[in-house]
Amino acid sequence: MTDHIQNIPLNEIDTTTLPRDRTIIDADAQQELQTSIAQNGLRLPIEVYPIKAGYGLISGYRRLTAIQTLSETTKDSKYTTITALIRTPKNRQEALAAMVEENEVRQNLSPWERARIVITAHDAGIFDSITTALTTLYPQISRQKRFKLRAITEVIEALDGHLIDPEQLTQNQLIRLASILRLDWGKIIIAAIDEQNDLSSTTQWNRLLPIIQEAETRLSENRSTAPNRPRRLSNPKNGINIRRECTPNGYLLHITGKHATDMLMTSVLDQIELWLGEI
C-alpha cells in the first residue's frame, strides 16, 4: 500500500509506539497553535503508520495534542478525527528515522533532545547499538557532527536526572562536559551537583564550571588529569562530604551533608589553624 491521506479517529492513534525527540513543549507556542487550528483548521496533516490496533504516530505530536484539546474543550464533532498522512515504513527503525527527519526540518531541537532520542531508541530495543541508532536516525549529518552527538549521548548516560533543564545547555557546554567525563571526573561532577538544589540550569552550570576549567587547564598543560590525584573528594564519615575546588586565587573546600553543622565547622577551622601553625 502506498502512502495516502485520510481522516482517522483520534482514539485510533497511539503516541507511545515510538519514543519522542521533543522533551519540552512550550505552553505559549502550543496555545498559539491551538488557536490557529481553531480559526483556520489543520493546514498540515500529521504522519502515522499502521499498527495492529490503529495507528502509531510518526510526526505531528503538537498538532495532534492541539486537536485533542479542542475536542475535549469544545465537544465539537469536527475535532474527533484528524487528517493524517498514512505512511508504510518497513519497520520501527524506519518509522523512527522518518520522525527524526521531519522534526529536524520543522523543530528547533536542542542538542540534548537530538541525542536523547538516540539513547531512548536504543534503550527501547529499536536499535542494537548507539552507533546504529546514530547512523540510522541521522544519516545525512557529517562525521564530525555525528561524533559530537555521540559525545552528548555519553553525557546523557552519565548525568541524565542530575542536570536541571539540560535542554537549555548549548552543544559546546555539553561537549565540554563529555570531555571531562571521559577523564573519569563524573563522581566529582555529581558531587558538586548534589551539594545544593540549584534553581536553574544557569546556576548549576556556574557551579560546574570551575571543575570543568580545572580539568581543561590540567589537560592543556599536560598535567595529570586523574580525578583522585590530587584528591578532590573525601567522605570521612557517613553524612559528611568534602570536595576540593580549584579557583584562580587558591582552593575552596565544600563541606556538605547532614552532619555539616556549625559546631563541626568550628572544630574544623580550629584544627586547620593548629595544623597550619605547625608548618
Side-chain angles (χ1 to χ4, degrees):
M1 182 182 296
T2 59
D3 297 350
H4 60 285
I5 293 178
Q6 72 179 58
N7 288 332
I8 57 178
L10 297 183
N11 59 12
E12 292 186 10
I13 302 172
D14 188 344
T15 62
T16 65
T17 57
L18 296 176
R20 316 313 304 177
D21 50 4
R22 172 62 80 186
T23 58
I24 292 179
I25 294 180
D26 183 275
D28 292 336
Q30 185 66 19
Q31 181 60 51
E32 290 175 4
L33 174 62
Q34 184 176 313
T35 301
S36 174
I37 292 175
Q39 294 176 348
N40 307 306
L42 183 66
R43 295 180 175 179
L44 184 69
I46 65 171
E47 295 186 17
V48 298
Y49 68 105
I51 57 176
K52 289 183 178 180
Y55 301 91
L57 181 68
I58 293 178
S59 66
Y61 181 80
R62 291 179 61 241
R63 281 164 278 160
L64 175 61
T65 301
I67 293 288
Q68 289 172 329
T69 302
L70 287 169
S71 177
E72 293 169 0
T73 56
T74 68
K75 308 302 181 183
D76 193 323
S77 60
K78 70 179 180 180
Y79 296 124
T80 59
T81 63
I82 189 170
T83 305
L85 171 63
I86 301 178
R87 304 184 66 167
T88 54
K90 296 177 182 178
N91 47 45
R92 289 179 74 198
Q93 291 95 327
E94 189 174 298
L96 187 58
M99 182 198 77
V100 171
E101 181 182 12
E102 172 73 12
N103 288 344
E104 281 286 289
V105 174
R106 295 194 167 276
Q107 299 188 39
N108 185 25
L109 295 176
S110 68
W112 179 275
E113 289 172 313
R114 296 182 75 220
R116 187 74 181 85
I117 188 63
V118 174
I119 297 292
T120 304
H122 171 257
D123 291 348
I126 298 176
F127 299 101
D128 59 5
S129 70
I130 297 296
T131 299
T132 302
L134 273 170
T135 55
T136 303
L137 297 179
Y138 300 101
Q140 304 301 326
I141 65 175
S142 66
R143 182 178 180 182
Q144 182 181 20
K145 289 183 178 180
R146 191 173 293 124
F147 177 81
K148 290 179 179 179
L149 263 183
R150 182 66 180 93
I152 296 173
T153 65
E154 295 173 9
V155 178
I156 294 172
E157 290 175 315
L159 300 179
D160 194 17
H162 294 282
L163 296 174
I164 298 173
D165 296 333
E167 297 85 1
Q168 304 300 320
L169 295 175
T170 66
Q171 177 177 273
N172 181 59
Q173 288 173 317
L174 290 167
I175 294 299
R176 292 177 75 182
L177 276 173
S179 296
I180 71 165
L181 287 172
R182 288 173 176 175
L183 298 176
D184 202 23
W185 285 44
K187 288 183 179 180
I188 302 171
I189 289 291
I190 292 175
I193 291 173
D194 290 345
E195 286 170 2
Q196 185 170 323
N197 294 324
D198 293 305
L199 299 178
S200 71
S201 177
T202 300
T203 56
Q204 188 178 70
W205 174 257
N206 290 336
R207 174 185 300 281
L208 300 181
L209 193 54
I211 303 171
I212 297 170
Q213 290 172 331
E214 180 185 2
E216 291 173 339
T217 298
R218 297 184 72 87
L219 191 62
S220 67
E221 295 175 351
N222 293 319
R223 297 160 65 192
S224 171
T225 56
N228 59 344
R229 289 292 182 272
R231 291 185 65 190
R232 294 177 177 85
L233 292 177
S234 175
N235 305 102
K237 63 176 292 184
N238 186 34
I240 292 291
N241 303 299
I242 303 174
R243 180 175 65 85
R244 191 202 73 157
E245 180 180 305
C246 180
T247 75
N249 299 316
Y251 295 90
L252 294 176
L253 288 179
H254 298 264
I255 304 176
T256 58
K258 63 182 180 180
H259 295 312
T261 62
D262 286 343
M263 183 179 297
L264 177 64
M265 293 304 99
T266 299
S267 297
V268 168
L269 290 174
D270 288 343
Q271 290 299 317
I272 290 175
E273 288 178 351
L274 286 173
W275 178 66
L276 291 178
E278 296 174 355
I279 296 178

